[in-house]
Amino acid sequence: MACVIAAPASGTGKTLLSLTLTAWARSRDLSLQPFKVGPDYLDPQQLTVASGRPCRNLDLLLCGPDWVQNSFHGFGAAADLALVEGVMGLFDGVGTSQQGSTAAVARHLQLPIVLVVDASGQAGSLAALVKGFRDHDPQLTLAGVVLNRVNSNRHKELLKEVLSGIEVKVLGCLPRDPELNLPSRHLGLAPAHELERLEARLQAWSALAETHLDLTSFKTLLRAPTPAIDPIHALLGEKSIQSPQPLRPVAVAQDDAFHFRYPETKDCLEALGMPVLPWKPLEDEPLPAQAKGVILPGGFPEQYAASLSQCDRSMADLRAWYGRRPIYAECGGMLLLGQTLTDLEGQAHPMTGLLPFHAKKGSLQVGYRSLDGTEDSLVVRKGDRLMGHEFHRWELHPTGPNDGLNNLLDRPHKINKPRSLWQVQGWRVQQHKEGWSHQTLHASWVHLHWASCSMISRRWRAALEPQSIPATSDF
């Protein structure tokens, strides 16, 4: 029943093996459902493109054990095959613990492990490494090992003999080849839309599987899980989904600058009568006239800051929208709402000017965040406790009194000024106030997974109703 592709450390070859197996399955007209452990957006993009099916994140900390179980069985059973790509090293979790780790998900779903090992420069020492991972947790089952960056046939035979000595099965040996390297950016792998020669890559990955992997064994290891209830129906409830409701379309930014989206957000929106309207601010598109709300997901706006600053129509529409219709902005989407955004070269470019900050490159901020709501706002209520994830290299600098703000906070209307959204805390992160909120705004560094709490999509739906939007005379 499927398997988990794990490794001793990041950068060892998990994604390459996952893409290789996924491309091979597709070339054989076999549907394969990919999953990714943890909160990552970039690896799932690659797996989505390779499989033709939305990759689903399995995150025990963000979404809880019930959702992980329902998601794996519900989405996995709809395909012929399934695989789970791990995150970081097999036992790496929050801090020094195994919380949220690949091992924790494998234990929870009772899945066998395929360990990908970088074998370059190794011979007999490989036995100590693999034996340590095999025996570290007796609750886990090691199905076998795939050796990556193997230098030659002589090297391959030597390594196979070493692993035979500790009775570990070799499921494949991938050669050292610079052509197999995946391009990366400042936050990890390059987004899927930046992959060049995609069809050629898919063919090369499939050929790699045919030549270098034990596909007879993998056909068994990749068998889809047993069926379960529909995960979205279980999350939202059949009654909510089946109740007739007027449609409330939602504009969602979807372009090269804004593409960090969990597929469950779209699933929840559409299940509750909120069809998604793709919007491309980077192409200076106007906001769709029929939209009742707008979602600005994360991405790499800093990479396109100069181009975004020239998108006068997109910017003007957001300014006109602010305070009148709901805006939900996460991480990179939030940066569009500030005064300026500094690009990768350190040049500042004007943004919409709606919030009083300048965004500049800073130190890496990454990790799970516990969230305590401090105010009643768009989708969060005072006293709510949620879990989110933060991952960015930019930081916010408050505007000064003589900054010449281009914002709407000082306009002569009675719009609610934004307040902090919540108290945030994480591993080695002191509790602090974060985010911007009022009744039509949610803006934060922190990413939420909408499958973690049904109230997120329910409250968003309620905010789109006409009676929840302030009358023009109120601001």
Side-chain angles (χ1 to χ4, degrees), residues 15-57:
T15 301
L16 175 62
L17 176 59
S18 299
L19 289 170
T20 296
L21 290 167
T22 303
W24 164 78
R26 193 168 180 178
S27 73
R28 293 287 182 243
D29 293 325
L30 295 169
S31 58
L32 184 146
Q33 176 59 55
F35 297 92
K36 173 69 180 182
V37 176
D40 186 28
Y41 291 100
L42 294 168
D43 290 9
Q45 286 185 17
Q46 312 269 11
L47 291 167
T48 294
V49 168
S51 68
R53 305 173 75 89
C55 180
R56 305 286 177 166
N57 294 70

Side-chain angles (χ1 to χ4, degrees), residues 60 72 187 239 257 273-274 278 284 292 344 349 367 408:
L60 289 167
F72 176 69
L187 287 180
K239 186 176 180 180
M274 296 175 280
D284 204 19
K292 306 301 181 185
L344 301 178
H349 302 275
L408 302 185

Side-chain angles (χ1 to χ4, degrees), residues 217-231:
S217 294
F218 271 113
K219 286 175 185 175
T220 300
L221 286 168
L222 298 178
R223 282 186 302 194
T226 55
I229 55 178
D230 182 289

